Amino acid sequence: MLERRERLCAKIQTARAKVLPYKPIASGELVRVVGLTLEARGCRAPLGSLCSIETLTGELIAEVIGFEDNLLYLMPVEPLEGVLPGAKVTPLGAQQGIPVGMSLLGRVLDGNAQPIDGLGPLATHEQASRQAITVNPLARRPVNTPLDVGVRAINGLLTVGKGQRMGLFAGSGVGKSVLLGMMTRGTTADVIVVGLVGERGREVKEFIEEILGEQGRARSVVIAAPADTTPLMRLRACETATRVAEYFRDLGKDVLLLMDSLTRYAQAQREIALAVGEPPATKGYPPSVFAKLPKLVERAGNGSAGQGSITAFYTVLTEGDDQQDPIADASRAILDGHVVLSRELAESGHYPAVDIEASISRVMPQVVSEDHVNQARAVKRCYSLYQRNKDLVSIGAYVQGSDPKVDKALLLQPVVSAYLQQQMKEVVVLQDCQLMLSQLAAQCP
């Protein structure tokens, strides 16, 4: 048996010796530029590595996103300016690492993890690889502890557990960013990592100064890649935010990861995939988009014994308020629940505009008591009963006394609505939410 094992090891070593080592060619030349896709000939570099391209304004850094025969497909990390035909293309090697450390708290970084807040360089020399080690699903600790997010509607009716991945589904302009800001102020998590990806540049400063505030910023790391950055930078921003959250989780911290938005991540990958010739599939999204979504989302969650947790909220932009949008549908299937924001509620001045009928937390029964679950169901039933009969009441078709349960729901509607609404800077702790919920549920039919 021992001799057979030694012979097998010898064969493996011989096979490894026959594998040709990677030999990068010094440089090549740029032969074609279409949109943001650059084609280089004469140099060889692995997927995901960086190359330097000579331009009129200096060096342009681009990443290898594909190849065909002796052509390399690259996409710039920076704005594409001053590129000439036949420009020199030089491989730089593998992907650059991400600076990590406690000094990241309070800083605002771009997709490459470089500071953009004007506070000087990062006070750390520690680097982490962009590619995180996959956590064995059997080694992950179960989600069984609630996380306080400071929002009454979520704490009471959609309780979130440490290590849960939630989706925040909404159309444009219904209060996604404000709700994220409310959670940053009210959460009991040790560290907050915020990814602002593909949104308006104006929102970045507003979110940091007005929504996050000084107190929230002190324990937060913000990764920003606005809509005018390259698709590659937007893609990197999501992965950088997740990698920074993983670093703090490995230190034993409870991390709240807020990603705004997962849809922009998918759209960035769509731009890159279509540029290299990948065929479109569902509504123009190539198959690689639906392959990358679970890879990103599955990196969040609880760590193994001795590690902390990453509780993640991913906003999903439902175009035209269509809940069956392909990205929304794919995200809903891989997340541990979803919070739906209603445009109808937002237009009526009901904030946060959480539609509790369409929302669900799949791990809520594992993180709260059975009494809490029953109380939440009672309040939901009362709210739903009102919603189903409000049209009849508004047109005068309902006669009071016809159904005692409907009468009770109509009477309690102002109280239920007041429970679900909350001021932007108001923080309600989990215990108070549960106490108020129990008092409200006792009145429900």
Side-chain angles (χ1 to χ4, degrees):
M1 187 71 177
L2 184 59
E3 292 179 357
R4 183 183 300 175
R5 185 175 181 180
E6 290 177 350
R7 287 198 301 269
L8 179 60
C9 292
K11 286 182 180 180
I12 293 174
Q13 291 176 356
T14 303
R16 286 176 175 173
K18 292 180 180 179
V19 177
L20 293 175
Y22 164 61
K23 295 180 180 179
I25 298 176
S27 62
E29 62 175 356
L30 195 64
V31 296
R32 190 167 183 252
V33 176
V34 179
L36 290 177
T37 308
L38 297 82
E39 298 180 9
R41 179 184 290 119
C43 57
R44 186 172 64 172
L47 284 174
S49 64
L50 300 178
C51 292
S52 171
I53 303 171
E54 289 186 349
T55 70
L56 292 176
T57 56
E59 289 187 344
L60 174 70
I61 304 300
E63 182 178 317
V64 179
I65 59 173
F67 59 84
E68 183 179 357
D69 296 332
N70 62 340
L71 285 178
L72 277 185
Y73 296 131
L74 305 105
M75 186 163 284
V77 176
E78 309 162 310
L80 186 61
E81 296 178 356
V83 178
L84 293 173
K88 184 179 179 181
V89 180
T90 306
L92 298 178
Q95 278 271 18
Q96 60 188 22
I98 297 175
V100 291
M102 297 303 294
S103 60
L104 265 62
L105 296 177
R107 302 302 301 269
V108 183
L109 315 176
D110 63 9
N112 286 327
Q114 299 302 311
I116 58 173
D117 51 10
L119 300 179
L122 298 173
T124 180
H125 298 289
E126 191 175 354
Q127 295 276 326
S129 171
R130 285 187 175 274
Q131 302 300 324
I133 300 175
T134 304
V135 180
N136 187 327
L138 298 181
R140 288 184 184 270
R141 291 178 288 104
V143 180
N144 52 20
T145 306
L147 177 70
D148 189 353
V149 295
V151 180
R152 188 162 46 228
I154 298 177
N155 277 347
L157 301 174
L158 306 165
T159 313
V160 177
K162 292 182 179 179
Q164 186 174 355
R165 289 82 53 92
M166 290 284 285
L168 191 59
F169 292 73
S172 57
V174 294
K176 297 188 303 298
S177 299
V178 174
L179 182 56
L180 293 181
M182 292 172 67
M183 287 191 282
T184 60
R185 280 191 294 270
T187 183
T188 55
D190 302 318
V191 176
I192 304 166
V193 179
V194 183
L196 302 176
V197 180
E199 301 296 334
R200 295 179 289 272
R202 170 185 61 82
E203 289 184 334
V204 177
K205 188 173 183 179
E206 288 183 1
F207 186 90
I208 294 170
E209 295 183 355
E210 299 179 14
I211 298 178
L212 196 60
E214 289 295 328
Q215 184 177 1
R217 185 174 178 179
R219 55 172 175 158
S220 303
V221 183
V222 179
I223 314 294
D228 59 345
T229 56
T230 64
L232 199 59
M233 185 65 82
R234 281 176 264 145
L235 205 69
R236 283 183 163 209
C238 293
E239 295 168 354
T240 297
T242 304
R243 189 67 188 95
V244 170
E246 288 173 327
Y247 167 79
F248 286 109
R249 178 192 63 188
D250 295 344
L251 293 181
K253 306 289 186 182
D254 288 326
V255 183
L256 179 63
L257 173 62
L258 305 175
M259 190 77 73
D260 187 12
S261 70
L262 196 62
T263 303
R264 304 303 186 194
Y265 175 81
Q267 291 174 347
Q269 174 60 23
R270 177 175 63 180
E271 292 181 48
I272 295 171
L274 293 178
V276 297
E278 187 177 350
T282 309
K283 290 191 177 181
Y285 286 97
S288 63
V289 172
F290 302 100
K292 289 184 76 71
L293 283 176
K295 287 185 178 180
L296 181 73
V297 171
E298 282 296 320
R299 291 170 63 178
N302 280 335
S304 55
Q307 295 182 336
S309 63
I310 300 177
T311 307
F313 279 83
Y314 299 95
T315 66
V316 180
L317 182 62
T318 53
E319 298 180 5
D321 296 328
D322 180 14
Q323 296 296 327
Q324 304 307 317
D325 177 86
I327 299 303
D329 200 41
S331 303
R332 192 182 297 108
I334 59 178
L335 292 169
D336 302 322
H338 49 272
V339 177
V340 178
L341 299 186
S342 166
R343 186 174 299 277
E344 182 182 355
L345 290 175
E347 290 174 348
S348 65
H350 183 289
Y351 289 102
V354 178
D355 185 350
I356 61 172
E357 288 184 294
S359 306
I360 188 172
S361 173
R362 295 176 181 170
V363 303
M364 182 176 176
Q366 283 78 51
V367 299
V368 297
S369 66
E370 186 176 353
D371 288 341
H372 187 166
V373 173
N374 292 332
Q375 291 163 4
R377 288 174 179 170
V379 173
K380 281 187 175 183
R381 283 195 300 268
C382 182
Y383 180 84
S384 181
L385 194 59
Y386 168 80
Q387 294 295 325
R388 289 198 304 267
N389 292 275
K390 67 177 182 179
D391 290 338
L392 294 176
V393 175
S394 63
I395 63 174
Y398 176 76
V399 179
Q400 189 173 5
S402 301
D403 190 333
K405 290 185 178 180
V406 175
D407 293 341
K408 191 71 171 178
L410 294 175
L411 183 64
L412 287 177
Q413 175 55 25
V415 183
V416 175
S417 181
Y419 178 84
L420 297 175
Q421 295 184 66
Q422 187 172 332
Q423 296 295 324
M424 187 178 72
K425 295 185 178 180
E426 181 185 1
V427 176
V428 186
V429 298
L430 182 62
Q431 290 78 9
D432 291 344
C433 294
Q434 293 173 340
L435 178 60
M436 297 172 68
L437 179 69
S438 63
Q439 295 172 350
L440 178 58
Q443 306 175 55
C444 291

